[in-house]
Amino acid sequence: MFSSEKEQILIQHMEELARMGAYEVDLARMRWKASHNFLRLFHLPTQSEFTYQDLLNLIHPDDLDRVRTHFDQCLAGENEYNISYRCIIDGQERFIQTRSRIEREADGTPVRLVGIKRDITEESQLQALFQAAPSGMLMVDQKRRILMVNAEIERIFGYVANELQGKEIEVLLPERYRMGHPQLVEMYMNSPVPRAMGEGRDLTAQRKDGTEVPVEIGLHPIFLNNQLSVICSVVDITERQKIAEREARQKQELKDFAYRIAHDIRNPLTNLKALLELSSDEDGAAISNEEARQMMSGITTDLLQFAEEIIGASLAAPGESVLKPLRFDSMKDRINQRFSFPLLECEGSLNWIEGHSTLPQVPVGSMEEIVGNLVSNSLRYRHPERAPAIQIRTGNEGSTFWLAVEDNGRGISAKNRDRIFEMFGKLQDEEGTGLGLYLVKENLNRLGGSIDFESSDQGSRFRISLPLFQ
């Protein structure tokens, strides 16, 4: 079958490495002969020739009709005979791949078939495992070529299998990572061990359409047909990242919620404490006991309503807020009630100048919290040499509702203006909690609103804007 003993030894060695065997069929006589490794592969006796029936006897009975039909079709008009099927070898089922060339006379009559048969059992089993895997699976060789992919890889990356097979693995990487990747593969192939890829780093792959996808990748080296290959498991973690981001956001919202409670309950309790002290000082009281009792009643009513709003907010579905038209008059009355004693104590004034015709939809209590924090800051940072005068103006501009809180306080120093909306970014280091303006901005962000301010040594003006159509 082969021209020289040296060639036979070389071919035999190549066949053993590839787990394949060569054969030749005399189509006129329907007799065939095979290489040494073919005989080894199929556990056949050493003999010079075999019959056509001997060849058919190797094929699994369930695949026999398919193989014979394909063989006859190829003889009728094809130049190649390629097919995969099952064989029974020593009672065991093996998967065999056949690749053959058909030689013909000048008139087209087939006279000889020369080809190879290769045992692909392990590859077929691996392919079955690939397709059954819930995560993406692909296999690459030492030259970084993609040998095999499963359906999940096709789904993640938007390719069909034959678009990837034979391509270098870098086709699945963003352009910025491609240049340095071959060196990393070479380092891994020199010392292959099962491990996660890029531990401690966020990994990103690239789909066929150019978009990027966050992934987790596991590496597992295997030897297939005595050749090192690497199986890569690929998991699309887009949803996992979204869940993590949502959980982080909910944790931050929970922190903000706790800060709100602590911050918003502080002022009423401070006022209540001051009123209790005044009511017990019968000789030098600045207000009568009746006035003090009325103010304390208003404060406790305010606190009870605040508690109800907290309960309502805690019962709402996570991430949801029930939007209702702003009850402006109710908010105005509660703000006046809340700050009646602090204004009385410092001889200050609070005036409302209403210029709006349309009101936004907001969660219950949120607008009162925003305005209350702004008024509280105006009182806290009042000018030491003049009584505080606070004006609250409202209006509409297009599809926006705006509200401005203006005061005649000491203003905000230039060094503090860049950080007043940060958590604990106090206007003055020695006063307040530093949460008020942070909470105002966070609330407005959630409502799709905004806040800006102007300030000088004559006072400050904070202006909030809210969309009218949610």
Side-chain angles (χ1 to χ4, degrees), residues 253-388:
E253 288 175 355
L254 183 60
K255 287 181 181 180
D256 291 349
F257 189 61
Y259 291 143
R260 283 180 54 196
I261 294 171
H263 185 269
D264 287 0
I265 209 170
R266 182 174 178 270
N267 282 341
L269 288 177
T270 300
N271 294 338
L272 191 59
K273 180 175 181 293
L275 284 167
L276 285 170
E277 291 173 351
L278 282 174
S279 64
S280 64
D281 185 5
E282 297 181 358
D283 296 330
I287 59 175
S288 67
N289 286 342
E290 180 61 28
E291 288 175 317
R293 279 194 295 272
Q294 289 179 357
M295 289 183 178
M296 283 189 279
S297 175
I299 291 171
T300 53
T301 300
D302 189 52
L303 285 172
L304 285 171
Q305 185 167 345
F306 180 59
E308 291 296 327
E309 289 171 2
I310 291 172
I311 294 170
S314 65
L315 293 176
E320 292 185 1
S321 295
V322 178
L323 300 179
K324 294 185 177 181
L326 172 63
R327 296 175 60 193
F328 187 86
D329 290 340
S330 177
M331 177 198 72
K332 177 180 173 181
D333 290 343
R334 290 187 62 185
I335 292 291
N336 287 337
Q337 176 64 43
R338 179 186 301 186
F339 293 100
S340 60
F341 175 66
L343 287 165
L344 178 64
E345 193 176 32
C346 66
E347 299 181 348
S349 62
L350 174 59
N351 297 310
W352 297 75
I353 303 172
E354 301 168 31
H356 62 271
S357 58
T358 309
L359 292 166
Q361 294 192 52
V362 293
V364 174
S366 62
M367 197 63 175
E368 183 181 332
E369 179 183 351
I370 291 169
V371 177
N373 275 315
L374 294 176
V375 173
S376 178
N377 274 344
S378 291
L379 290 175
R380 179 175 294 120
Y381 304 111
R382 61 184 179 267
H383 197 284
E385 297 179 1
R386 51 181 177 255

Side-chain angles (χ1 to χ4, degrees), residues 46-63:
T46 302
Q47 59 191 65
S48 58
E49 284 189 340
F50 295 87
T51 67
Y52 180 57
Q53 187 60 45
D54 291 332
L55 192 63
L56 297 180
N57 289 342
L58 301 174
I59 302 171
H60 193 291
D62 292 343
D63 290 351

Side-chain angles (χ1 to χ4, degrees), residues 127-143:
Q127 181 70 49
L129 289 173
F130 262 45
Q131 296 304 332
S135 59
M137 302 285 283
L138 61 86
M139 185 167 68
V140 298
D141 64 14
Q142 284 183 285
K143 295 182 178 180

